[in-house]
């Protein structure tokens, strides 16, 4: 029940009250919905967090190799980038699997939607890293990848919140 509906109900209840009437039963108070169960302990979601942490560390390592370079210089080839790209693809697939798992359970919280969004964003961020023409662009694309991977970790490990 929305706040407006509660206010209208209270207004109607008070309007119907007459001081001469005997007091009736107290109006029912609606309970807030409970927070959804955490999925952080489930194997699929533990695997997502583990992989996202490893890939975040790799992306941060790539950024360190760029530190101190002329930002206008041509982007550097990143050692092991093909393997990194493959791992990003696998993580993206796992995020979509997490989305579909939650959807099949009938989950109504934001996590399933966030996982879908991350699944779609990971390949785009990877493309931006690969397409960077300068060190500055490459560093910015890697920074965005680090942020996205960090989000991937935090949305799963954060305590679930009740639906508003």
């Amino acid at each position: 029940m929305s706040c407006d509906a509660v206010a209208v109900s209270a207004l109607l209840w008070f309007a119907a009250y007459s001081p001469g009437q005997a007091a009736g039963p107290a109006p029912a108070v609606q309970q807030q919905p409970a927070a959804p169960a955490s999925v952080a302990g489930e194997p699929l979601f533990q695997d997502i967090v583990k992989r996202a942490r490893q890939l975040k560390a790799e992306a941060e390592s790539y950024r360190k190799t760029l530190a101190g370079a002329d930002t206008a210089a041509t982007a550097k080839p990143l050692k092991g980038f093909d393997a990194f790209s493959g791992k990003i693809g696998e993580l993206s697939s796992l995020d979509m699997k997490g989305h579909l798992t939650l959807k099949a359970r009938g989950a109504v919280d934001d996590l399933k939607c966030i996982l879908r969004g991350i699944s779609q964003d990971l390949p785009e961020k990877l493309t931006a890293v690969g397409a960077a023409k300068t060190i500055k662009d490459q560093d910015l694309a890697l920074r965005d990848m680090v942020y996205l991977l960090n989000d991937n970790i935090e949305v799963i490990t954060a305590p679930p919140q009740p639906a508003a």
Side-chain angles (χ1 to χ4, degrees):
M1 180 179 282
S2 72
C3 293
D4 292 336
V6 171
V8 169
S9 296
L11 177 67
L12 292 174
W13 186 76
F14 284 121
Y17 176 74
S18 171
Q21 289 180 326
V29 176
Q30 186 163 357
Q31 297 290 326
Q32 288 291 335
S38 175
V39 296
E42 296 179 25
L44 170 63
F45 298 97
Q46 287 176 332
D47 191 24
I48 291 171
V49 169
K50 177 183 170 191
R51 290 173 186 240
R53 281 190 175 128
Q54 291 169 342
L55 290 165
K56 179 184 171 201
E58 285 185 56
E60 288 170 336
S61 177
Y62 284 144
R63 288 192 75 201
K64 286 179 185 171
T65 66
L66 302 177
D70 176 12
T71 58
T74 303
K76 292 182 178 183
L78 301 171
K79 185 178 179 183
F81 189 71
D82 289 339
F84 178 81
S85 297
K87 292 176 194 174
I88 290 291
E90 291 170 3
L91 179 60
S92 174
S93 295
L94 285 174
D95 281 317
M96 183 55 76
K97 184 176 180 179
H99 162 76
L100 294 172
T101 298
L102 294 173
K103 185 177 178 182
R105 291 180 189 173
V108 294
D109 61 337
D110 292 338
L111 180 57
K112 79 172 191 294
C113 297
I114 294 169
L115 289 174
R116 180 178 179 189
I118 290 172
S119 174
Q120 294 169 340
D121 289 348
L122 282 169
E124 291 176 13
K125 299 297 181 196
L126 184 66
T127 298
V129 172
K133 301 292 183 208
T134 65
I135 295 289
K136 180 180 179 180
D137 293 340
Q138 197 173 30
D139 184 57
L140 289 174
L142 284 166
R143 183 198 65 190
D144 289 347
M145 178 66 79
V146 168
Y147 288 148
L148 183 59
L149 291 165
N150 189 63
D151 287 348
N152 205 173
I153 297 162
E154 290 183 351
V155 298
I156 293 172
T157 60
Q161 300 297 314

